[in-house]
Amino acid sequence: MIGKDLEQTLRDTLDRSLDQIDDHTVAALAQARAAALTPRRRWPVVVGGLALAATVAGIVATLPRSPGVSPSAVSAPPLAELAWQEDPDMLNDMELLLVLGEDAVGGPDAG
Amino acid sequence: MASATAPRDRALDRFLASVERRAYRMAEMATRSHHDALDVVQDAMLALVTRYSERPEAEWGPLFHRILQTRLLDYHRRQKVRGRVLSFFRPVASDCDDDEDMSATLPDLHTAEPAVSLERARDMDTVLDVLRRLPMRQQQAFLLRIWEGYDVAHTAEIMGCSEGSVKTHLFRATQALRHALES
């Protein structure tokens, strides 16, 4: 098909062409190789991080709670209780607004 | 876990370092673009590491070349689609490179002067230029068989075609090369 001499010469020429690849390209290839291997190298770090997070979560969950503070003590009062708490200033303001509203609707000439 | 993967990582690093320049040269000849060649090689490296790093080391070579050649074929198909969109009137070769036969435009084989072709085969620029002009499949068959030294069966596996196709591509490639070097 192709002479052995020619075949070998072509092979040698192609091998020689590898030495002609410039430094910038060689560096880019090394960088590409490192990038390709990076996700694999990160894997143990990710697993280690997850293990640490699980340990911390476990410790927090098993910590004894302080006996002096009950959940109800720090929770907010129910809304129904808040509804009955009156603010005198707010009531005065509302009354004033109602009077002004009646004046605006009826007006001084309405009567 | 880290201790288990470290030797594997080192082996992968060594393997990739041993093939990266040849892979780049192949990709550069196929794409005729420095940046695209780098992208393709990096993509192939990443695919090997993420998908096949657990496979035996002996399989990495054929696997890497299979990934690389598939990426290069995909690249060529994309370029052809882009070419069709950009140019309505320019004739575009079919997806099967069998139709592209560079040897048809080259001088008669009977005018061959082996000494001259051997001399020209030593000229790097000439060889690279001739290889760049070969149709994609012929280029792949030639580089895998002659440069990488894979046998026909492995080359067929890497190229994803039959052994008969490999022989045809290789025959046309060597004919075209010989013609080009002798002309």
Side-chain angles (χ1 to χ4, degrees):
Chain A
M1 193 181 293
I2 184 171
K4 287 286 170 196
D5 286 347
L6 185 58
E7 197 177 298
Q8 187 57 50
T9 307
L10 286 168
R11 203 178 292 135
D12 292 344
T13 305
L14 286 169
D15 284 341
R16 215 158 18 91
S17 80
L18 298 180
D19 298 330
Q20 299 296 313
I21 296 173
D22 61 283
D23 292 344
H24 184 258
T25 305
V26 172
L29 286 168
Q31 206 174 350
R33 178 169 21 108
L37 288 164
T38 300
R40 203 179 144 75
R41 283 179 179 156
R42 270 189 198 151
W43 180 240
V45 178
V46 171
V47 171
L50 285 173
L52 182 67
T55 309
V56 170
I59 291 169
V60 169
T62 53
L63 273 178
R65 293 186 182 182
S66 173
V69 183
S70 67
S72 61
V74 292
S75 63
L79 282 175
E81 283 179 21
L82 283 175
W84 294 106
Q85 291 175 2
E86 295 166 353
D87 180 2
D89 289 339
M90 191 185 76
L91 289 175
N92 284 337
D93 289 344
M94 285 178 71
E95 199 175 331
L96 179 64
L97 284 170
L98 282 172
V99 170
L100 287 172
E102 279 172 11
D103 284 349
V105 172
D109 304 327
Chain B
M1 183 155 191
S3 59
T5 54
R8 203 73 172 167
D9 277 355
R10 278 197 295 274
L12 267 171
D13 193 47
R14 267 198 311 273
F15 167 76
L16 291 175
S18 71
V19 295
E20 65 192 12
R21 283 203 281 179
R22 291 168 87 88
Y24 168 77
R25 180 58 80 200
M26 278 187 182
E28 188 271 326
M29 278 191 276
T31 61
R32 303 176 199 182
S33 158
H34 165 73
H35 292 291
D36 290 345
L38 277 178
D39 282 350
V40 168
V41 172
Q42 179 168 9
D43 202 23
M45 285 177 171
L46 193 62
L48 181 85
V49 171
T50 51
R51 289 187 213 160
Y52 302 110
S53 57
E54 300 307 321
R55 299 283 279 267
E57 283 187 44
E59 291 181 20
W60 288 347
L63 282 169
F64 178 73
H65 279 291
R66 180 159 195 170
I67 296 166
L68 182 69
Q69 299 306 328
T70 307
R71 295 288 191 277
L72 288 173
L73 215 54
D74 289 345
Y75 174 86
H76 262 254
R77 284 176 183 146
R78 278 199 305 275
Q79 291 299 106
K80 278 181 182 174
V81 170
R82 195 172 297 165
R84 283 195 191 106
V85 171
L86 294 177
S87 168
F88 288 105
F89 302 108
R90 195 177 61 197
V92 180
S94 69
D95 193 48
C96 176
D97 283 322
D98 289 350
D99 298 338
E100 301 176 43
D101 191 357
M102 197 174 87
S103 62
T105 61
L106 294 166
D108 187 8
L109 185 62
H110 295 295
T111 62
E113 291 178 48
V116 176
S117 65
L118 212 56
E119 189 56 40
R120 293 192 73 195
R122 289 193 189 98
D123 184 52
M124 196 187 309
D125 291 336
T126 305
V127 170
L128 292 180
D129 185 52
V130 171
L131 283 171
R132 279 188 196 109
R133 284 191 292 134
L134 281 180
M136 181 66 199
R137 299 296 268 174
Q138 291 181 26
Q139 195 185 88
Q140 285 181 318
F142 179 84
L143 292 173
L144 290 168
R145 277 284 288 123
I146 306 297
W147 196 22
E148 291 295 330
Y150 286 112
D151 59 21
V152 176
H154 272 106
T155 306
E157 203 179 314
I158 290 168
M159 288 177 65
C161 63
S162 68
E163 292 185 20
S165 292
V166 170
K167 287 175 185 167
T168 307
H169 289 309
L170 185 63
F171 175 75
R172 288 182 177 173
T174 50
Q175 237 190 354
L177 260 168
R178 202 161 47 178
H179 277 300
L181 293 173
E182 287 164 358
S183 64

